[in-house]
Amino acid sequence: MAQTIDGTAIAAAVRADVAEGAAAFRAQHGRAPALRVVLVGDHPASQSYVRAKARAAGEAGIDAETLARPADLSQADLLALIAGLNADDAVDGILVQLPLADAVDEGAVIRAIDPAKDVDGFHPENVGRLVLGEPTLEPCTPAGIVEMLRRSGVETAGAHAVVLGRSNIVGKPMASLLLRRGIDATVTVCHSRTRDLAEITRQADVLIAAIGRAEFVTADMVRPGATVIDVGINRVEDATRERGYRLVGDVDFQAVSEVAGAITPVPGGVGPMTIAMLLQNTLEAARRRAR
Ligand code: NAP
């Protein structure tokens, strides 16, 4: 039976470290690290993510404020809002909650954020630094996975890490991080056009699933003893739940637990780590800007 990697507990440890750092920052600079979260529209999942981020930031002693704007906010007005936050010296981190409306050019919005305040790590300048192996604000989900592997004592050096998914938010930055010196994994990235997927996933010492397909990874796709990290958050209908659905990952947790050496649950795995790393990035951005 696999060991369950408790993302909630590891995230709590990261958040405690951030709280200590934020208190020290405040003592030194007379103000807390400051995060501004921009939420456009009333997408329910986005609202709940933003609430969770703001609450966690407040608990860690970060001055967090959510700037909620109506769904029909124009791109020009959104860019003007970002320009104002860029210019505000008392703001350290800016996060624009994605996805944005189809009418808005997401790339243009991301590029408008000052890279020094880009706590999501999505700006092309920060992505470039990541690929070059330079210090940067790292995208929160893959950074959280690395932190979780490190704090659970999972050996990555020389290990074969297989990443399922090539999105800009998870798959690609995950691969770049795993290749970094000090992490030193051998990395394979798979996607919807990959041939013989199960044959590749069975070679993984560390398997990271980020595809957005409920319980896609089955026990026969996993090498006995492998570490399985489940990034997926999928809603599946469930009449026994009050809200009519439950959340499951991209991994069939029950069956894969019988084979894997270690596995992250959904919820309570990668999700809390993503939020913890956002707080860490905000503190890091504040420290760098103060230097
Ligand atoms: P995405 O942008 O939709 O990308 C999905 C990737 O999976 C794509 O590269 C796609 O391949 C690949 N894929 C889809 N079906 C596949 C299949 N049958 N076989 C192999 N590859 C397949 O998704 P994302 O933003 O990376 O998110 C992935 C999942 O993680 C979602 O469930 C999302 O909700 C969740 N997520 C969780 C967190 C967290 O904090 N826990 C953070 C971000 C995302 P192609 O490129 O070929 O289309």
Side-chain angles (χ1 to χ4, degrees), residues 273-284:
M273 289 304 297
T274 297
I275 295 182
M277 299 318 281
L278 169 67
L279 309 184
Q280 186 160 300
N281 273 353
T282 303
L283 174 61
E284 180 60 24

Side-chain angles (χ1 to χ4, degrees), residues 40 71-76 78-79 100-109:
V40 184
D72 61 359
L73 182 76
S74 71
Q75 180 167 326
L78 178 53
L79 293 178
L100 294 168
D102 290 344
V104 176
D105 177 355
E106 230 166 64
V109 170

Side-chain angles (χ1 to χ4, degrees), residues 138-151:
E138 298 170 356
C140 300
T141 300
I145 292 169
V146 166
E147 192 66 29
M148 192 156 52
L149 292 172
R150 195 181 284 140
R151 291 193 188 223

Side-chain angles (χ1 to χ4, degrees), residues 240-263:
T240 69
R241 304 288 171 102
E242 199 177 315
R243 53 189 181 181
Y245 68 88
R246 67 195 150 90
L247 294 180
V248 300
D250 289 347
V251 176
D252 179 349
F253 183 85
Q254 291 303 338
V256 171
S257 292
E258 304 283 335
V259 182
I263 186 168

Side-chain angles (χ1 to χ4, degrees), residues 49 141 164-167 169-171 190-193 197 209-213 216 230-234 250 270-271 274:
Y49 291 148
T141 300
L164 292 186
R166 57 172 163 180
S167 73
I169 292 176
V170 189
C190 302
H191 47 78
S192 67
R193 305 293 304 272
L197 190 71
I211 56 179
R213 302 263 181 278
F216 178 92
D230 191 352
V231 186
I233 303 175
N234 309 289
D250 289 347
V270 175
T274 297

Side-chain angles (χ1 to χ4, degrees), residues 11-148:
V14 173
R15 284 157 62 161
D17 290 349
V18 172
E20 213 172 282
F25 183 92
R26 187 181 192 136
Q28 196 180 347
H29 300 283
R31 67 169 185 86
L35 171 68
R36 297 293 174 262
V37 180
V38 179
L39 173 65
V40 184
D42 49 13
H43 193 267
S46 292
Q47 280 179 325
S48 93
Y49 291 148
V50 165
R51 260 197 310 274
K53 288 168 183 177
R55 193 187 322 121
E59 284 168 12
I62 288 170
D63 158 26
E65 202 180 302
T66 301
L67 307 168
R69 295 292 182 272
D72 61 359
L73 182 76
S74 71
Q75 180 167 326
D77 285 345
L78 178 53
L79 293 178
L81 177 62
I82 293 170
L85 296 172
N86 285 343
D88 186 343
D89 205 37
V91 171
D92 299 298
I94 303 169
L95 181 150
V96 178
Q97 183 64 41
L98 304 178
L100 294 168
D102 290 344
V104 176
D105 177 355
E106 230 166 64
V109 170
I110 291 168
R111 281 191 295 277
I113 298 170
D114 178 348
K117 300 186 179 186
D118 169 37
V119 285
D120 253 343
F122 293 159
H123 191 286
E125 190 175 310
N126 288 327
V127 176
R129 288 183 199 280
L130 179 71
V131 174
L132 292 171
E134 295 175 6
T136 183
L137 295 168
E138 298 170 356
C140 300
T141 300
I145 292 169
V146 166
E147 192 66 29
M148 192 156 52

